[in-house]
Amino acid sequence: MEGVKASLPQTLVREIESGLSSVESTCTALASHFSHNHVCFQLLQQLIEPGMTSCAKDRQTALDCKGEGNAAFGRASFKHALDCYTKGLRFISLDTQVDASHAATLLVNRAATLHRLELLDAAVQDCTRAIELQPDYAKAWYRRGRIQADLRNYENAIDDMKKVFSLESSVGGQKQVKQEMADLEILMSEMTVMDEASHMIPAVDSRKWEPRVMESVMDTSSTWTPEKQWGLSTEQNLEPGSLILQEAPYAAIILKACRNSHCHYCFGQLPANPMPCNTCAIPLYCTEACRDKALGCGSDRATGGSLHLQNDILSGEHKHECGGASWSAVLPTDAVLAARIFVRSQALGHLDNQLDGFCHHYENLSGMDKLELHVLAVVMANVLKCNSGEATDNVAAKLVLLIARVRANAMAIVSISSPDAAVPMTELSAPDVGSSTSTLLSIEQVKVAQAVYVKASRMNHACDPNVHVSFQSRCLSARTIKSVLAGAPLEISYGPQLGEMFYEDRQAWLRERYCFTCTCSACKHITHSDLLLIALHCSKASCEGVVPGPAVSPATESEAFQRTWQKQAQCLGCGTLVDVATASIAAKQSMKELERSDSSPLFWVLVGNFRSYKRCLWVFSGVCRIKSELSSPSAGKNLKVMVAAVLHLLGCCRDVLHSSSKQLARVEDFVAQVLCSADQPQDAISHCQTSIQILEQVYSQDHIAVANERLKLTSIAHAAGDTKCALLNLGIVDRIMRIHYGPHYSVMFPYIASLQQVLDKSGSFVKN
């Protein structure tokens, strides 16, 4: 894009950046430049022509991947082999019988790899897919039969072996298959129902409940505020946990960082055997069903039907991107999402007036941003010209404002997962559970996609919101987390929340991203949460007052007060002035570096020690060293030394930070993790409890951050054999989760339900 910008006439650049001319006229001039300029022509060719990209199907690339996978399999590097076979499937086409044969081979090879990795269900799926492509592929039938046998599905295994027998032409091969069938029949006859089956904890069935997809659940109305423009408000009194909205997206797209880890349609985590797109090498899907929906086609797989286009004009959001062109993989996500919206609007016959009502803040953008939007819009207009009968400049003018609307209104789809959810809680028992960090359960939020929702995208921002948004696949659910009176606005957090970011940083982030100054109740004055975000000890040893950290006062305060605040802070207990200028400078300089080092939970330890900056550096480096050593192979040998060190460092942090500081809560949480790693879960309980007490002061007792910490405490107490403590905290987690995610939250958090069942069983055992 930089080459394109450099090719533009400076008069046109100044005209676009100044915003003095209409968007229509500047788009017309820019479209004309694109049609005559060689640099722009080359860029469009690289984005549009499949032969000039690495996103198109390519048989040789697929065969090279297969060869690399075979070599990795021979070295027993099964994970690498799995990646190679999956990559090969992305590049193989199904246009010819030869390609279908290669695809079937890749699938069977991947099934063999999955078999070695003991991912048996996924391996069976791949064999079935290979059989669908090549019904007479004996190796696929044989491989599936062997895997079915390992699954103890002996009847299915025998059926597969019978098919292999019919396909096998050699006498020796038939004799071997016949012997294997005889062995399977013996195993099937000896198999009996397990006596303990009735005592097994049932798995959570996510199919028991599916969210309704609708545009509204409760009555809402639109309200106008000058700084935030249109937003939603309630027409009735609402209690915490009230479901106010469920909605499917108008358009959605996966984020670039998640392309290889999450399904490109439902945005769930990809299985070990994902399915690629039929006609390009970009997307991966968790199932054929998600792939067919993304392409706007379906099939009757039960009867062996072939793919066919659906009549629904709103389906197939990837269809116009497909064919091997690279533009959807290269261009910014918000521009590609705008293209999806435009294509859907064209299918409807007009640019949806519901989206026209969205704010875009185009007039408040910098000149550089306006130029970027123009270039992207003209590129997209050339890409999409086959989907529209309009002239390129007319389409570009619409896309300029459409991309701006996407940037102002799109919502991040968040996937909830636990890094340890793969450990089946049903296999655990109390008290002998084991106490490594793998038993620590937590709620992890990962931004996986970006979407525009017609109604939900119009909820305004508050730093202390009254609505929580969650996602079940693509479907959005919004629930109140506080009591809301009729007529009050329904507000969510656009990113920074009270207790997570200082007032000044929240304001700067919102102005840069959304072009408004937040005037919510949390931004009118310094709140309790702002003070505790980084609260320091008073320099007087006998004083327990709070010394506010290097935060900046609200704009409502005088300039003189702000200048003083940046240099020194006054103890709110005894009034002692403390110099925090050094700490403030250190905070600004070290923020990015500390976040990159994965030490964000402790970065304020570095900032906080205003009494001894060098000592503070020593404390921080010690914590970083311990965190690094914990993940090393030799961690087990040094656990006692690390525990002693981290407890000493905790004492240093307690000397520096106030007892109610959020940063101290993070340090206490870290200490609990170290103690669990050292097989001392009983000692970890008190540190986790201290962290919870602090978080309840920074946020509230019903905040999701508190639920996350109590979930950790539940798993720690379970590991320590303290069933009573575990059940008590899990009950509080249940209450908070119901408010934020509804009564069916176990669909999203199956490991919590499994843990509940294990603890209930343990509690009954203790009582008896």
Side-chain angles (χ1 to χ4, degrees), residues 80-126:
H80 180 56
L82 185 65
D83 292 338
C84 291
Y85 294 137
T86 297
K87 183 178 179 181
L89 286 167
R90 294 178 87 157
F91 282 95
I92 198 67
S93 172
L94 300 178
D95 291 340
T96 67
Q97 188 57 45
V98 173
D99 288 329
S101 175
H102 288 310
T105 302
L106 282 164
L107 284 165
V108 171
N109 288 1
R110 190 169 72 171
T113 307
L114 292 166
H115 195 179
R116 290 295 188 95
L117 292 170
E118 299 184 355
L119 300 170
L120 304 185
D121 290 331
V124 169
Q125 286 181 339
D126 271 3

Side-chain angles (χ1 to χ4, degrees), residues 453-633:
Y453 294 86
V454 171
K455 294 201 73 172
S457 295
R458 298 187 71 161
M459 282 191 282
N460 280 330
H461 166 85
C463 295
D464 189 15
N466 56 22
V467 173
H468 177 262
V469 169
S470 61
F471 300 89
Q472 178 72 12
S473 182
R474 300 163 64 91
C475 179
L476 172 146
S477 296
R479 288 180 170 84
T480 55
I481 53 178
K482 299 177 181 179
S483 296
V484 184
L485 298 177
L490 297 168
E491 297 175 317
I492 60 176
S493 172
Y494 288 178
Q497 291 190 40
L498 185 67
E500 296 179 355
M501 189 182 291
F502 285 127
Y503 163 85
E504 180 190 45
D505 297 326
R506 294 199 310 266
Q507 290 285 318
W509 190 90
L510 291 167
R511 279 194 298 268
E512 180 180 354
R513 183 70 175 78
Y514 296 104
C515 303
F516 74 86
T517 299
C518 186
T519 58
C520 72
S521 59
C523 292
K524 292 180 180 178
H525 53 78
I526 296 177
T527 65
H528 186 68
S529 296
D530 282 325
L531 292 175
L532 296 184
L533 189 58
I534 169 59
L536 311 176
H537 258 314
C538 179
S539 55
K540 290 185 176 180
S542 60
C543 180
E544 291 298 322
V546 174
V547 179
V552 177
S553 65
T556 53
E557 302 288 353
S558 66
E559 291 185 9
F561 182 86
Q562 292 185 48
R563 287 195 298 271
T564 302
W565 188 278
Q566 295 176 32
K567 295 180 181 179
Q568 58 188 6
Q570 188 177 45
C571 173
L572 302 182
C574 65
T576 301
L577 288 176
V578 178
D579 181 11
V580 295
T582 302
S584 180
I585 293 172
K588 298 293 185 182
Q589 293 178 342
S590 60
M591 175 77 74
K592 292 182 180 179
E593 180 64 29
L594 294 170
E595 288 180 346
R596 280 199 300 269
S597 66
D598 193 28
S599 302
S600 54
L602 301 170
F603 74 87
W604 279 112
V605 175
L606 172 61
V607 179
N609 197 342
F610 54 90
R611 284 174 285 181
S612 176
Y613 181 65
K614 290 183 179 179
R615 178 168 175 255
C616 180
L617 283 171
W618 173 81
V619 170
F620 176 75
S621 63
V623 170
C624 288
R625 184 176 65 254
I626 290 174
K627 293 187 74 174
S628 175
E629 290 176 358
L630 274 175
S631 59
S632 69

Side-chain angles (χ1 to χ4, degrees), residues 363-474:
E363 63 281 357
N364 295 323
L365 297 177
S366 67
M368 186 179 300
D369 287 338
K370 290 177 180 176
L371 180 62
E372 180 188 4
L373 287 186
H374 271 72
V375 172
L376 284 174
V378 173
V379 170
M380 299 302 297
N382 279 277
V383 166
L384 298 175
K385 60 184 178 182
C386 57
N387 296 90
S388 171
E390 296 183 76
T392 301
D393 53 348
N394 291 338
V395 174
K398 293 179 180 179
L399 286 171
V400 167
L401 298 184
L402 186 54
I403 298 173
R405 287 191 182 96
V406 167
R407 292 186 175 182
N409 296 279
M411 301 177 69
I413 293 180
V414 177
S415 174
I416 306 293
S417 63
S418 168
D420 311 307
V423 179
M425 292 302 300
T426 54
E427 296 180 3
L428 304 181
S429 59
D432 187 18
V433 181
S435 53
S436 69
T437 52
S438 64
T439 63
L440 288 178
L441 295 181
S442 62
I443 300 169
E444 297 290 332
Q445 300 189 51
V446 181
K447 293 181 180 179
V448 296
Q450 194 176 21
V452 170
Y453 294 86
V454 171
K455 294 201 73 172
S457 295
R458 298 187 71 161
M459 282 191 282
N460 280 330
H461 166 85
C463 295
D464 189 15
N466 56 22
V467 173
H468 177 262
V469 169
S470 61
F471 300 89
Q472 178 72 12
S473 182
R474 300 163 64 91

Side-chain angles (χ1 to χ4, degrees), residues 249-263:
Y250 188 90
I253 188 170
I254 195 166
L255 299 179
K256 290 183 178 181
C258 298
R259 285 177 178 170
N260 293 323
S261 59
H262 289 75
C263 175

